[in-house]
Amino acid sequence: MRVALVALALVAAVGAVQHAFAPGPVGHVSESHSDVRMSAEFQPGSLYDSRRLIKVSEHVRARWMSLDAILVLRQAGVRFMDITDAQDLHDLSVSGYESTLPLELSQGDAVNKTLALLSTDLYGLVLEPFTAFHNRYYDSENGRKSSKWLQEQIEEMVAMAKANVTVSSVEHRFKQPSVVARIHGQSDEIVVVSAHQDSVNMWLPWFGRASGADDDGSGTVTILEALRVLLDSSFAPRRTVELHWYAGEEGGLLGSQAIAKQYKDEGRKVVANLHFDMTGFWKRTEPEVIGLVADRTDPETRDLVKKLARAYTRLETREFECGYGCSDHASWNQAGFRSAMAFESDQLEANTHIHSPEDTVATLDFNHMLEFSKLAVAFAYEVGNAKTS
């Protein structure tokens, strides 16, 4: 709460000096960025033509903020949720679907056979072109194109497997769509495995360079590799299993909030969500672990993820607190569904390259990422094939 109050004070104090980053003709742009800014691919859309309702804590009232003020929050390192289009999710009376998680692991043979198919090859093959986009800013043509490119890779993978999988885009009020791959099951219950696809530059969000290799290109390919081996193993779950690549996480969990709200409004039976935001970087001076977000997540789902990690990966789990609006798992939690988030370490700020041009493929450890793909596969099998309610 103290951080949130400081951030709000910063908004009031320095909002006036943020015009240099405004999306119109106001303010000065240096010569080095003028050619990029003039390109149609980097022009921001209309999302911020009017103020947005921003929430920085459960304990601080949401405030209507301009883009300038939102940029101050971002640059101060304050995480937030943009609840403008999902205000009913933040009603304290929200309750979700009461799902059943497996008490014991029962899919060992099938999981291990599928894990044997995993490889690190796909990571580089996808990340090199994915991070070649100047950035993947969610409210820009560039963000739209990167999402369409990603969807094409997923559709090609599914077509080659000739599987009972539907791939679709979810359009939003901003330019970048989310992508959903649905592995149809026998039940109307849904298991969600997710990552986010957008990337932003800390200081110049819509035209600054943001390679986004770790944040969250790593999560994107972590679950994409999981999908590949699930398809190769002819995975046919009892429950429907969906893989989501969210747009607009960096804008305050925009895409995931929209989808969680839609599923809640439609009465969909979401059993649990396991989210992967950053899986590729860890300090070699520290133990190699799977970080598990302890706050704003479901304790039973966390316990299950710990079991999965012990059974199917070579890494231990360590819990840590991530804070308000940390990543897209919070949208499912806010909607009343079970959620958990796996992270590359137990140190949230370990990777100092993110939101900058330095967040490159060269900083990633593909063997480390492979453990998270194992976790995604195991979650799909063990939750997807658990007895339905």
Side-chain angles (χ1 to χ4, degrees), residues 226-243:
L227 174 61
R228 184 188 70 80
V229 297
L230 289 171
L231 295 175
D232 286 352
S233 62
S234 300
F235 178 56
R238 291 192 183 96
R239 290 164 160 161
T240 291
V241 174
E242 294 185 355
L243 290 89

Side-chain angles (χ1 to χ4, degrees), residues 44-60:
S46 60
L47 183 68
Y48 296 108
D49 285 355
S50 56
R51 292 175 180 267
R52 305 288 298 176
L53 188 59
I54 303 299
K55 196 169 179 63
V56 298
S57 168
E58 297 96 340
H59 310 295
V60 177

Side-chain angles (χ1 to χ4, degrees), residues 282 286-291 315-318 343-346 368 372:
W282 62 286
E286 301 290 338
E288 184 183 8
V289 300
I290 292 173
L315 301 181
E316 296 180 357
T317 58
R318 287 190 181 178
F343 188 70
E344 59 198 8
S345 75
D346 60 346
H368 185 64
F372 291 83

Side-chain angles (χ1 to χ4, degrees), residues 233-307:
S233 62
S234 300
F235 178 56
R238 291 192 183 96
R239 290 164 160 161
T240 291
V241 174
E242 294 185 355
L243 290 89
H244 294 188
W245 291 265
Y246 300 123
E249 187 270 352
E250 302 286 2
L253 317 189
L254 293 168
S256 59
Q257 281 191 90
I259 292 175
K261 180 181 185 305
Q262 176 190 347
Y263 281 28
K264 185 167 187 60
D265 290 348
E266 294 176 354
R268 298 200 197 184
K269 300 176 181 178
V270 178
V271 176
N273 160 247
L274 178 56
H275 187 61
F276 295 86
D277 189 346
M278 300 171 58
T279 62
F281 181 92
W282 62 286
K283 288 185 175 180
R284 304 308 193 274
T285 56
E286 301 290 338
E288 184 183 8
V289 300
I290 292 173
L292 198 56
V293 173
D295 55 320
R296 300 166 181 85
T297 55
D298 172 57
E300 291 184 13
T301 308
R302 291 201 311 273
D303 287 344
L304 174 61
V305 173
K306 291 174 185 177
K307 287 182 182 178

Side-chain angles (χ1 to χ4, degrees), residues 17-23 26 37 67-68 71 75 203-206:
V17 302
Q18 297 302 312
H19 294 293
F21 304 105
V26 179
R37 182 171 176 176
L67 175 59
D68 291 345
L71 286 172
Q75 292 156 15
W203 300 100
L204 304 165
W206 55 91

Side-chain angles (χ1 to χ4, degrees), residues 91-257:
D91 186 328
L92 294 178
S93 64
V94 165
S95 60
Y97 177 61
E98 294 186 8
S99 63
T100 302
L101 296 178
L103 297 177
E104 301 294 336
L105 304 186
S106 63
Q107 303 293 306
D109 289 345
V111 173
N112 286 320
K113 287 180 182 178
T114 304
L115 295 186
L117 303 176
L118 286 169
S119 165
T120 61
D121 293 346
L122 175 143
Y123 299 153
L125 290 173
V126 173
L127 280 175
E128 289 294 347
F130 198 49
T131 59
F133 286 94
H134 188 75
N135 62 41
R136 302 187 299 274
Y137 179 64
Y138 50 92
D139 196 25
S140 72
E141 186 66 13
N142 214 34
R144 186 190 70 80
K145 287 183 177 180
S146 62
S147 180
K148 291 301 182 184
W149 181 87
L150 176 62
Q151 183 175 345
E152 289 170 1
Q153 313 314 304
I154 300 167
E155 288 174 339
E156 181 178 346
M157 181 182 292
V158 169
M160 290 178 63
K162 298 180 181 179
N164 185 25
V165 178
T166 302
V167 181
S168 60
S169 62
V170 180
E171 299 293 332
H172 302 297
R173 285 189 57 190
F174 47 97
K175 291 188 175 183
Q176 184 180 58
S178 297
V179 181
V180 173
R182 178 176 242 243
I183 305 173
H184 297 274
Q186 304 165 21
S187 163
D188 60 353
E189 289 187 305
I190 301 170
V191 179
V192 177
V193 177
S194 60
H196 77 85
Q197 55 171 293
D198 57 317
S199 70
V200 299
N201 181 284
M202 173 71 80
W203 300 100
L204 304 165
W206 55 91
F207 64 94
R209 177 75 171 116
S211 317
D214 194 23
D215 190 9
D216 184 28
S218 62
T220 292
V221 297
T222 288
I223 69 170
L224 185 60
E225 173 64 5
L227 174 61
R228 184 188 70 80
V229 297
L230 289 171
L231 295 175
D232 286 352
S233 62
S234 300
F235 178 56
R238 291 192 183 96
R239 290 164 160 161
T240 291
V241 174
E242 294 185 355
L243 290 89
H244 294 188
W245 291 265
Y246 300 123
E249 187 270 352
E250 302 286 2
L253 317 189
L254 293 168
S256 59
Q257 281 191 90

